[in-house]
Each structure stands twice: as structure tokens, then as C-alpha cells.
Amino acid sequence: MAQGEAKSEYLFKILVIGELGAGKTSIIKRYVHQYFSQHYRATIGVDFALKIIKWDDNTIIRVQLWDIAGQERFGNMTRVYFKEAVGCILVFDVTRPASFEAVKKWKLDLDTKVQLPNGGRIPCVLLGNKCDQAREGFFQTHEQMDSYCKDNGFIGWFATSAKENIRIDESVNFLFSKVLENAMNDTSLNESDNDRIDLGQTGITRRVQAAPVNANIQH
């Protein structure tokens, strides 16, 4: 980094939601710890994971991943859990068509309970997990999934496998690139001369001014 060049640090709250058994906890464990187990217990309420990412020479991202329980009985608590989130990973199981059918319910719940400061939707990426297994009953083509994401407000989708570590980092980093873009375009970040700005309702903490980031991430 050039002498005197500013360095930026962000804190992002990211939700991981979807039906029970879709693989949310497995995806988080794989991304954060590069670890997979067949024997996770169902998440009760909410769980957390933290990862620190050196995005580039000038940018550090501290990510809080909120693992939200998929059981229906916890649905009335999601407004509390969703508060101040700036991005979302919505997971379904490609071997269980019912988990895909529930995606719209989760997305609607998300969009009605949390928004960006400008009133827009928070970026949400759709993951079809367990792509290493037989996809009986799931017949969506690539083109159909593209259209589905466009119609339902997803920024994109990925076929993933936490077990085989297929496209986990790529999909999560794709989301982070969109969240970071929103953070850097937030005009409130340039309204203070303080070297630390806390943006409470946005879920973002930023230190000093960020240099432009070119995240060469491809779907």
C-alpha cells in the first residue's frame, strides 16, 4: 500500500436463511472454518460465526454470519434477527423440491422485514445446496433459475456443495462484492471528518475512506 493511502474496515451483518436441513450451518462452517461434518444438530433460534477477510490491500471486512433456524415456529422472531442486516444468503436443498418451493416465502419475509437505508432490498444470493447429490424432482434449468432470480429479486444464484466445497467461497464473495458496493456508494460515509463512522441502522461500521474495489468475481 502506498504511503499515506487510506485503509478501510467494514463490519457486515449477513443473514443465512432457508428451510430446516438445507445446509445453512454446513455452508457457514465450510466458509469460515473449511470444515464439514455430517452430524450437525438443527440450529435453535439463531447462531453466529465471524470471519475477517482481507478483501484487498486497502480493505478489511469483518463478517458476522447469522445462522437463522429453519423451523417454522421461529418465524415470529425473524424481525428481531433480521434487524440491521446488509446482505443475505438464502439456501435450499436441490434434493428436496419442497425446500425450493419455500424460497419465495423466505424471500418475502426478508424483503418485508429489512431494507437498505434508501428503502431498497438488501442484496440476497440464492444457493442450491447439495449439488453433489442426485437432484430428483428438481428440474429447473440454468435459464429458468436466471429468470426465477430476476423475477424474485435475487442478485444471482449458485449450485453449491458444502460437503465437496463446490462454489462456496465464490458465492459468498459474490454477495460481499455487492454489499461492499452498496457501502461504498452510501453518501453518509463521506459526511464526517471523523476517522470512524458507525452507521447503526445500516449494519455497517466503517473506518476512514475506502479506495475503489475491483472484485473480479464471476458467476
Side-chain angles (χ1 to χ4, degrees):
M1 184 172 63
Q3 186 176 2
E5 190 172 355
K7 189 170 185 177
S8 297
E9 186 172 317
Y10 294 87
L11 173 63
F12 293 153
K13 175 181 176 180
I14 304 295
L15 306 173
V16 184
I17 62 177
E19 291 294 278
L20 177 67
K24 300 183 295 295
T25 301
S26 295
I27 286 172
I28 292 172
K29 294 291 187 183
R30 173 62 77 181
Y31 181 73
V32 175
H33 303 294
Q34 291 301 308
Y35 173 79
F36 177 82
S37 171
Q38 298 276 14
H39 305 294
Y40 293 126
R41 292 184 297 177
T43 300
I44 304 299
V46 64
D47 201 357
F48 307 89
L50 176 67
K51 184 167 184 173
I52 300 174
I53 304 163
K54 183 179 180 182
W55 189 259
D56 63 17
D57 288 342
N58 303 324
T59 310
I60 299 294
I61 301 175
R62 298 176 185 271
V63 181
Q64 294 178 349
L65 292 163
W66 286 50
D67 185 358
I68 310 298
Q71 294 93 325
E72 184 64 33
R73 65 179 179 273
F74 295 111
N76 62 343
M77 287 295 295
T78 54
R79 185 177 299 276
V80 176
Y81 299 148
F82 288 2
K83 185 179 180 181
E84 299 183 4
V86 294
C88 180
I89 299 166
L90 208 169
V91 185
F92 72 95
D93 178 349
V94 298
T95 72
R96 293 166 45 218
S99 72
F100 178 68
E101 294 168 5
V103 164
K104 287 185 180 180
K105 177 197 73 174
W106 281 99
K107 187 61 163 60
L108 178 62
D109 193 47
L110 176 74
D111 291 342
T112 56
K113 292 178 178 176
V114 62
Q115 291 85 34
L116 295 172
N118 63 9
R121 296 168 172 169
I122 67 171
C124 186
V125 64
L126 181 62
L127 304 190
N129 196 38
K130 306 183 185 180
C131 70
D132 57 299
Q133 301 181 28
R135 308 181 192 185
E136 296 181 8
F138 184 74
F139 302 112
Q140 300 289 320
T141 65
H142 192 286
E143 291 74 17
Q144 287 173 323
M145 286 299 296
D146 285 345
S147 178
Y148 180 89
C149 287
K150 182 178 180 180
D151 292 343
N152 291 281
F154 291 96
I155 60 172
W157 69 277
F158 293 81
T160 63
S161 169
K163 180 180 180 181
E164 300 298 333
N165 197 18
I166 298 173
R167 305 192 83 181
I168 299 298
D169 287 0
E170 181 182 358
S171 59
V172 178
N173 288 338
F174 173 75
L175 172 64
F176 291 169
S177 71
K178 300 300 182 182
V179 173
L180 186 59
E181 180 181 341
N182 286 340
M184 295 177 68
N185 290 335
D186 192 322
T187 57
S188 65
L189 295 178
N190 296 316
E191 293 176 354
S192 173
D193 292 329
N194 296 333
D195 63 357
R196 180 185 175 105
I197 307 171
D198 291 334
L199 309 176
Q201 293 303 311
T202 68
I204 302 170
T205 300
R206 185 193 187 194
R207 299 179 190 271
V208 304
Q209 185 176 353
V213 174
N214 295 316
N216 296 318
I217 301 172
Q218 299 180 350
H219 186 288

